[in-house]
Amino acid sequence: MASSYRLNYSSVLHLFLFLSSLLTSSANLSFNFYAGSCSVAEFLVRNTVRSATSSDPTIPGKLLRLLFHDCFVQGCDASVLIQGNGTERSDPGNASLGGFSIIDTAKNAIEILCPATVSCADIVALAARDAVEAAGGPVVEIPTGRRDGKESMAANVRPNIIDTDFTLDQMIDAFSSKGLSIQDLVVLSGAHTIGASHCNAFNGRFQRDSKGNFELIDASLDNSYAETLMNKCSSSESSSLTVSNDPETSSIFDNQYYRNLETHKGLFQTDSALMEDNRTRTMVEELASDEESFYQRWSESFVKLSMVGVRVGEDGEIRRSCSSIN
């Protein structure tokens, strides 16, 4: 496992000024929000994530994806955790999400020491942050003080999450609706440097012809890589099979994802689209050649993601159990 990257002084100063500007619009979020009420909260979350990752290297990817799916549907309010018919969690679009048990473990540990104090929304954001660090990525400070949402509706999922066959314009529109820029889109797509995906998320990019031979459908995908994917997904159990998002360094949070895009080995159509369009290609090339730049930009974009549509102050609640409202 690569050692975690720490930003240099100039990067830290830049990030501090950037975060300060963000916090002016979310005055009820702050760094060390729980310093007086539950000083061990962040430690407990980090320790839970590290422990889980040491026994299962797929955990970081699952926790990072969980945050994306939470924040993109009615904001970062842990509504994706609520169980029951008709909830976000029950929607087929969220069927492959994982990491729920890690959030529950962290919440249970915190509740013992600090009952009814730390929100599940903060735990989801902190766990995703710590997942990146556990996978060798940058150490990012994020503000806390989020509150938990009181509703979760499956009908809100599909109109908000990004499908793997989206065009670049569709992705830009989706990110823009959350207050995220085209740079945030390219940088946060770097989350695909870890994690794994089911075959049905990308197997429409190739097929077997009538004679059983490989046939490439999506020309933006490297031919040999596509054939390798097809062979992996040809099993009768393909519906349950997963393939690493990054074929080179699947458990390390690095900038290999962007180098993969340069060689046309982006797993999803949405990945390849970043390299095929002039609006994003230059950014991909810059991040592919400069890992430090990727880490700095990741730190900024990740904080922005974690602050999408947050509930603060008296809005929402602090759930006692993350899977149900109080």
Side-chain angles (χ1 to χ4, degrees), residues 54-240:
S54 67
S55 59
D56 182 357
T58 69
I59 291 298
K62 292 176 180 178
L63 291 173
L64 201 46
R65 186 166 177 247
L66 191 61
L67 178 70
F68 272 89
H69 280 242
D70 183 38
C71 294
F72 262 69
V73 182
Q74 71 179 45
C76 308
D77 66 350
S79 53
V80 73
L81 305 181
I82 297 175
Q83 290 182 306
N85 294 331
T87 63
E88 293 172 31
R89 189 166 169 176
S90 71
D91 186 85
N94 283 335
S96 61
L97 289 181
F100 296 102
S101 63
I102 310 305
I103 304 302
D104 289 338
T105 298
K107 176 64 170 176
N108 291 338
I110 290 172
E111 284 295 303
I112 293 172
L113 299 175
C114 317
T117 302
V118 179
S119 70
C120 299
D122 274 340
I123 293 174
V124 171
L126 290 168
R129 183 273 304 270
D130 296 335
V132 170
E133 180 185 347
V139 180
V140 183
E141 295 300 322
I142 64 171
T144 44
R146 297 164 189 78
R147 305 266 291 179
D148 298 324
K150 294 182 178 181
E151 66 175 21
S152 179
M153 299 175 60
N156 291 332
V157 174
R158 293 309 177 92
N160 286 287
I161 61 173
I162 293 177
D163 284 336
T164 55
D165 61 353
F166 267 22
T167 65
L168 182 62
D169 285 332
Q170 288 175 307
M171 288 191 288
I172 290 172
D173 288 345
F175 271 68
S176 178
S177 72
K178 312 302 176 187
L180 300 171
S181 67
I182 190 170
Q183 175 174 301
D184 295 323
L185 163 60
V186 177
V187 172
L188 291 172
S189 293
H192 290 165
T193 191
I194 57 175
S197 300
H198 288 86
C199 291
N200 61 7
F202 56 83
N203 62 8
R205 307 181 74 189
F206 45 80
Q207 66 181 12
R208 291 192 185 278
D209 63 20
S210 58
K211 297 181 179 180
N213 298 317
F214 165 77
E215 182 179 357
L216 185 66
I217 296 175
D218 186 344
S220 66
L221 190 61
D222 175 78
N223 194 82
S224 61
Y225 178 52
E227 188 166 7
T228 297
L229 292 174
M230 187 187 72
N231 290 333
K232 286 183 178 180
C233 293
S234 293
S235 165
S236 60
E237 300 176 354
S238 63
S239 61
S240 60

Side-chain angles (χ1 to χ4, degrees), residues 7 15 138-140 294-303:
L7 300 176
L15 184 57
V139 180
V140 183
F294 168 52
Y295 285 163
Q296 179 175 323
R297 294 188 189 189
W298 171 268
S299 299
E300 296 175 0
S301 294
F302 180 81
V303 172

